[in-house]
Amino acid sequence: MLLGAIRRRGGLGASVGVRSLASVPSLPSAVADFVKGAVEECKPANVHVVTGTPEETANILAGLEKEGMVKKLPKYDNCWLARTDPKDVARVESKTVIVTKKQRDTIPIPAAGVKSQLGSWMSESDWQRAREERFPGCMAGRTMYVIPFSMGPVGSTLTKYGVQVTDSPYVVASMGIMTRTGAPVLNKLADGVDFVRCQHSLGRPLPLKAPLVNAWPCNPDKVLISHLPDTRQILSFGSGYGGNSLLGKKCFALRIASRIAKDEGWLAEHMLILGITNPQGVKRYVAAAFPSACGKTNLAMMKPTLPGWKVECVGDDIAWMKFDNQGKLRAINPENGFFGVAPGTSDKTNPYAMATIAKNTVFTNVGETSDGGVWWEGLDPPAAGVTLTDWHGKTWKPGSSTLCAHPNSRFCAPASQCPIIDPLWESEEGVPIDAIIFGGRRPEGVPLVYESFNWKHGVFVGAAMRSEATAAAEHKGRAQGAGGQGARLKRSRNRKTQDPDH
């Protein structure tokens, strides 16, 4: 019945279920074809096309609360707490693959018996088998949500578009914060712009064959996050954690975007962007690359202690950069929100982040206070009489042998709420980049800060750096390698042609 209705309409509408397909506007044909293919494979009970309205978001969150996946935090305005299955708390790098015809197109081919440290390749035939083991019927009994979204300001020449299908309402709520959705995006898709096809499933069809942990659907044994750069596709299975399920983030904005950028002549980088103004009123924009959980958000929202200096935030995680027709490197933040690591964030380390997350925020795997707030390591102790519940939902007391918040617990908040958001953060042409910094966690063995000799040396330094593993990855060890916590800081030329090293 569902597929028949889709075929008759030639598309799907804004808010649809089996009985209401005929009463809603159709999607653009290319999007409808993608959705029809996903419906045929995943067999959902219903389909809902996300419009991004406040009323829709409120309904999504109310449904999550009813299912026990999130809890409203009465201490704040429209803030929510989610607790995941303890097996689904971070990106799973060992199960994240790039699928290309040739291995050399993904990673340098390692010596026999050596595992590459630069990524994981999967052959097309192995991936097809893996897909057939996971996706057929995976959304049975659940609603498939269709999320048309924009990475970057709608209309910018640097912006790219995507459509994600998912059976996770938590993903819908989070993507509504992290990306731009709604009518402007649908209009662009109707104009025929290219889009990345993103398919995600929690891998827990209904009825359940085993009980959930923390009411959090996931399938840890079958997790696979796959990227097909040749066809601009992302397919993610088994995880509801943001880095694996919000496919506009690392999957699109870095992995697929880096391939699009290579083909089109620009850069997709794991970098914050900030504007810094000196006491004389001269403003420069800086991009800076650090691994996750190494301080990008704190640097992007720095509160200077030097009199007369001012820092403003464009983005805290990802930068898309391209030379304009004058040869000037320009960058946009393709995201619409902050997906930051909570532990260590406080009024002392990042007062602007604390102000940003005071409303309209989804918290994941942080501690909870008895007065309806959140808590994590790094915050001041709660007031007298206020008790704590840890990220497992158990009573917790200071001095306990376990942590109250998971080390990779997160906040997901709109970037527009940041008190120091840069006036040009949504500039369609991007902001002009004057310097690039590389850094990471390395407590010993290298200088704290150093400058490259020139652009070629800077590229070498950045490419050779390594950092300790953090809680943002599945690894528990403290991996170290060449390079370390250093920096490359070099002012760019106004014109690319003036400097062959640029």
Side-chain angles (χ1 to χ4, degrees), residues 107-130:
I107 56 173
I109 298 176
V114 177
K115 179 175 173 55
S116 171
Q117 297 185 33
L118 298 178
S120 297
W121 173 76
M122 181 177 280
S123 69
E124 292 179 331
S125 57
D126 286 349
W127 176 79
Q128 189 60 40
R129 283 192 294 271

Side-chain angles (χ1 to χ4, degrees), residues 130-408:
R131 179 177 186 169
E132 292 170 359
E133 290 173 0
R134 289 166 172 80
F135 279 98
C138 64
M139 295 186 187
R142 297 190 181 276
T143 295
M144 173 188 282
Y145 298 93
V146 182
I147 312 171
F149 64 95
S150 166
M151 299 304 294
V154 176
S156 169
T157 57
L158 282 165
T159 291
K160 301 297 177 184
Y161 300 89
V163 176
Q164 176 167 347
V165 296
T166 180
D167 53 2
S168 169
Y170 169 89
V171 167
V172 177
S174 300
M175 283 287 285
I177 295 172
M178 294 304 302
T179 69
R180 295 160 177 87
T181 60
V185 178
L186 287 168
N187 291 339
K188 277 291 183 181
L189 292 168
D191 290 341
V193 296
D194 292 335
F195 64 95
V196 174
R197 290 154 173 81
C198 307
Q199 182 170 315
H200 167 256
S201 176
L202 299 165
R204 296 298 298 269
L206 298 175
L208 293 171
K209 295 181 180 179
L212 301 177
V213 178
N214 286 340
W216 184 264
C218 63
N219 191 341
D221 295 334
K222 287 285 189 178
V223 168
L224 184 67
I225 301 97
S226 52
H227 308 73
L228 286 72
D230 291 338
T231 53
R232 312 299 199 237
Q233 290 177 276
I234 305 164
L235 289 93
S236 175
F237 185 92
S239 172
Y241 167 74
N244 304 321
S245 63
L246 308 184
L247 301 186
K249 279 199 64 63
K250 298 294 191 291
C251 295
F252 182 164
L254 284 182
R255 300 182 188 122
I256 293 298
S258 66
R259 170 60 184 274
I260 298 174
K262 178 177 181 291
D263 293 344
E264 296 180 356
W266 49 280
L267 294 168
E269 299 294 336
H270 194 190
M271 293 181 177
L272 65 90
I273 310 169
L274 62 83
I276 182 167
T277 305
N278 68 15
Q280 290 72 44
V282 178
K283 186 171 186 176
R284 303 286 187 183
Y285 287 94
V286 176
F290 303 106
S292 292
C294 285
K296 285 196 306 300
T297 301
N298 285 353
L299 179 57
M301 301 183 193
M302 177 185 290
K303 187 174 184 179
T305 56
L306 296 176
W309 289 82
K310 180 169 70 172
V311 168
E312 292 167 296
C313 177
V314 176
D316 77 326
D317 194 37
I318 296 170
W320 287 358
M321 301 189 289
K322 184 179 182 179
F323 288 102
D324 63 18
N325 56 15
Q326 301 298 314
K328 182 65 180 179
L329 185 63
R330 290 188 173 272
I332 64 166
N333 168 18
E335 298 187 300
N336 195 50
F338 301 125
F339 187 67
V341 176
T345 305
S346 69
D347 286 325
K348 295 177 181 177
T349 62
N350 195 335
Y352 296 130
M354 296 299 292
T356 301
I357 62 180
K359 61 182 179 180
N360 304 318
T361 298
V362 177
F363 296 93
T364 303
N365 288 339
V366 300
E368 180 186 5
T369 62
S370 58
D371 60 349
V374 293
W375 193 88
W376 50 75
E377 281 70 19
L379 292 178
D380 291 335
V386 175
T387 58
L388 292 168
T389 302
D390 70 10
W391 71 280
H392 293 286
K394 299 178 180 178
T395 299
W396 188 89
K397 294 182 179 180
S400 173
S401 60
T402 60
L403 295 173
C404 185
H406 187 275
N408 193 42

